[in-house]
Amino acid sequence: MLTLYHAGLAAVFVPVFSYLLPINKSANILLETSHRDRLKQLDTLLVQSRALWQVKAFDCTQLPWEKQFPSLAEKVWSISDVDIDELDKGQTKLNAELLPALQRDLARHDLAWGLDLLQQVDPVLADGDTSQVRHLGLLLSDKEASHFSAGIKGRKWSQITAFAAQIKQDNSEVLEWCAGKGHLGRLIAKAHSRPVVSLEWQQSLCDEGTKFADKWHLPQEFICADAFAPQESKLKREQQAVALHACGDLHVRLLRLASQAHTRSIIISPCCYHLIQAEQYLGMSEVVLDSELVLSRHDLQVPLQHSTIANAKQVEYRHREIVWRLGFDSLQREVNRSRRYLPIPSIKQSQLNEGFEAFCNWAAGKKSVELPVDLDVDLYLELGVQRQRLTRRIDLVAHLFRATLEHWLLLDRVCFLEEQGYSVKLTRFCSEAITPRNSLILAEKAAN
């Protein structure tokens, strides 16, 4: 799903989050619950509800759970097409709209799910300390700030600034994992006057980062190395390991190597959980290793399916592309006598201006599908429209569990680190307007 955001630098200061319900006694109890116990609670809910969220919408020709959850089915079909995107933007609105119908279905089957957990993710994820964000800004002159942020989009620079504000100020070395050009590391080196080792596998990015560090006389060293290689990891005990939006297995690799090296401090913001080497998710903590859940790469994309702000033209293109993909899929199912969705490659936005028939010819060429001579373009375009209306509602229900699944993934990492002897906090480092991937894991190991 296309994900679009917009935020200014001012948005780096974390706002007060709104909740579906006031924090009541049960929510306060949840706040006091250990990470391990909370992970068990979320695991139970996700196992119970997997028929609703562990679904590939493009494979479906009807609501796959309609018979078991008729009230929920009736509810999603009562929502107008024009309201779905707005409803999908915020978890609070989505919960308020759909949970009553789901509760009625559960009561009909005499089932008791912990749906209150869906409403308590926000209170449990406390806001991070933003007091240092302004302080960081004061450490750079206007000229320095303009150079350090040059070539970085405003929202990304806001993420870097907010993340750097969470870095503990001491004299230990910082290891920047998956550094790219070292934007985060250079800010830490400058603002904290600390040595930084930036690990990055692309030599060209290392060269650019080194050139900047040399020009500004920063204590920042670049090491060109593959994070997955069985070589020395450069992680050591007296060090602070940091990673801002390291994808999937990359941040998991860091956590495992850092815990093996007994690295004193680890600060990461996970991203792109689905970018893993294995076909299925490999749990880290004891709780998840014992879980019934088996997650595919597709399942791991559910937390990332979050569109916040998009202009009307971008929304129009996104919907048109989905309609056309599903329209072509309906066509190829008939031609190939298949019941399975046929993925096609990514397309350029300009192709969406060339018409549905041209799109079908292009897709057929890419997938070696022989189109009928008397192709009824309008018929399959209409089928695409109808299937898109269906898939949007399947996804909408799955998104009830979007935040919960991400919280489960985060707690898997938190509990793993606790099992390795770390004291761990799970918090936010910036507002959702800057990035929905705003969760932060801060792990500290006490000195022996």
Side-chain angles (χ1 to χ4, degrees):
M1 179 179 289
L2 181 64
T3 308
L4 301 151
Y5 317 99
H6 175 77
L9 286 173
V12 78
F13 298 99
V14 181
V16 176
F17 285 80
S18 60
Y19 310 133
L20 178 59
L21 296 175
I23 301 179
N24 53 26
K25 184 177 180 180
S26 64
N28 286 328
I29 291 173
L30 185 63
L31 284 166
E32 297 169 1
T33 303
S34 71
H35 291 134
R36 179 183 174 88
D37 288 342
R38 191 174 306 134
L39 179 55
K40 286 183 176 180
Q41 293 171 349
L42 296 180
D43 186 70
T44 298
L45 174 60
L46 289 172
V47 169
Q48 291 171 326
S49 60
R50 53 190 165 186
L52 294 176
W53 60 266
Q54 207 166 30
V55 180
K56 291 184 178 180
F58 277 21
D59 284 344
C60 300
T61 55
Q62 60 184 23
L63 295 176
W65 35 258
E66 184 169 5
K67 291 183 179 179
Q68 187 177 1
F69 302 98
S71 295
L72 186 58
E74 181 181 359
K75 178 61 185 177
V76 295
W77 282 119
S78 73
I79 300 171
S80 69
D81 295 340
V82 296
D83 291 336
I84 288 182
D85 281 336
E86 186 64 31
L87 186 60
D88 196 32
K89 287 179 183 178
Q91 199 65 39
T92 300
K93 288 182 179 180
L94 189 58
N95 289 348
E97 190 75 17
L98 298 185
L99 286 185
L102 178 55
Q103 288 280 24
R104 289 195 296 272
D105 286 325
L106 293 177
R108 183 180 297 108
H109 295 289
D110 199 23
L111 296 175
W113 293 358
L115 294 181
D116 56 326
L117 294 171
L118 300 181
Q119 306 174 66
Q120 294 168 353
V121 172
D122 274 351
V124 170
L125 267 175
D127 296 340
D129 177 19
T130 59
S131 62
Q132 294 299 316
V133 176
R134 190 180 299 276
H135 176 64
L136 275 174
L138 295 175
L139 292 175
L140 300 179
S141 68
D142 290 343
K143 181 179 180 180
E144 289 172 332
S146 65
H147 282 289
F148 273 64
S149 62
I152 308 174
K153 294 182 179 180
R155 190 169 55 84
K156 184 62 178 180
W157 179 243
S158 296
Q159 295 170 27
I160 291 170
T161 307
F163 187 96
Q166 307 300 320
I167 304 297
K168 182 176 67 175
Q169 297 191 46
D170 59 31
N171 295 321
S172 65
E173 179 182 88
V174 172
L175 177 68
E176 182 188 15
W177 190 254
C178 303
K181 296 179 183 179
H183 296 307
L184 172 63
R186 74 176 57 148
L187 178 59
I188 295 171
K190 175 66 177 179
H192 293 181
S193 299
R194 295 173 61 179
V196 175
V197 174
S198 296
L199 187 75
E200 168 57 41
W201 76 277
Q202 295 188 66
Q203 186 64 58
S204 61
L205 300 183
C206 291
D207 292 343
E208 289 189 53
T210 298
K211 183 178 179 180
F212 188 99
D214 290 345
K215 179 179 178 180
W216 286 85
H217 307 291
L218 300 175
Q220 182 182 21
E221 173 192 1
F222 278 82
I223 296 177
C224 186
D226 183 353
F228 293 114
Q231 60 198 21
E232 183 184 356
S233 67
K234 308 301 179 183
L235 284 153
K236 49 193 176 184
R237 184 185 296 270
E238 295 304 322
Q239 200 176 49
Q240 193 169 38
V242 302
L244 171 58
H245 292 163
C247 294
D249 277 346
L250 285 171
H251 72 255
V252 169
R253 172 80 167 162
L254 172 61
L255 295 182
R256 294 193 185 280
L257 290 176
S259 63
Q260 290 170 9
H262 305 287
T263 301
R264 185 66 52 79
S265 177
I266 306 170
I267 303 179
I268 72 165
S269 177
C271 186
C272 300
Y273 305 99
H274 64 293
L275 296 180
I276 58 176
Q277 295 173 320
E279 290 297 319
Q280 297 175 340
Y281 178 68
L282 302 177
M284 301 187 69
S285 67
E286 294 174 355
V287 173
V288 171
L289 289 173
D290 290 338
S291 173
E292 294 180 34
L293 284 182
V294 177
L295 301 179
S296 67
R297 293 171 185 166
H298 179 271
D299 298 329
L300 294 171
Q301 293 186 62
V302 171
L304 312 178
Q305 295 171 353
H306 192 178
S307 176
T308 52
I309 299 174
N311 63 46
K313 194 66 175 178
Q314 290 167 325
V315 171
E316 178 189 347
Y317 276 127
R318 183 185 67 191
H319 289 322
R320 186 184 303 171
E321 179 178 350
I322 294 174
V323 167
W324 287 10
R325 284 178 177 272
L326 291 171
F328 174 77
D329 185 64
S330 296
L331 169 59
Q332 72 82 21
R333 287 189 186 211
E334 183 171 328
V335 171
N336 293 333
R337 298 182 179 179
S338 170
R339 294 185 178 181
R340 292 190 175 185
Y341 175 73
L342 181 66
I344 57 176
S346 299
I347 66 171
K348 299 177 181 178
Q349 184 171 296
S350 59
Q351 289 179 257
L352 296 172
N353 295 319
E354 297 174 3
F356 178 58
E357 186 171 3
F359 173 83
C360 287
N361 287 320
W362 170 82
K366 290 292 184 181
K367 305 304 291 190
S368 300
V369 175
E370 187 174 347
L371 298 181
V373 176
D374 56 343
L375 175 62
D376 188 343
V377 175
D378 292 338
L379 169 63
Y380 292 104
L381 181 59
E382 178 58 27
L383 289 174
V385 170
Q386 295 307 317
R387 285 185 61 190
Q388 188 225 26
R389 296 187 71 238
L390 172 69
T391 58
R392 292 180 74 192
R393 285 157 176 82
I394 293 173
D395 285 337
L396 194 67
V397 170
H399 293 170
L400 274 175
F401 304 91
R402 175 176 52 197
T404 300
L405 180 56
E406 180 163 20
H407 199 193
W408 181 92
L409 290 163
L410 289 165
L411 287 175
D412 183 32
R413 289 143 177 77
V414 167
C415 290
F416 166 78
L417 289 169
E418 289 180 336
E419 291 163 8
Q420 309 308 308
Y422 286 87
S423 175
V424 189
K425 292 181 180 179
L426 178 58
T427 183
R428 293 185 178 93
F429 71 96
C430 68
S431 77
E432 193 176 73
I434 296 175
T435 172
R437 307 281 76 73
N438 62 351
S439 299
L440 192 73
I441 296 174
L442 302 98
E444 298 282 341
K445 180 166 281 192
N448 294 332

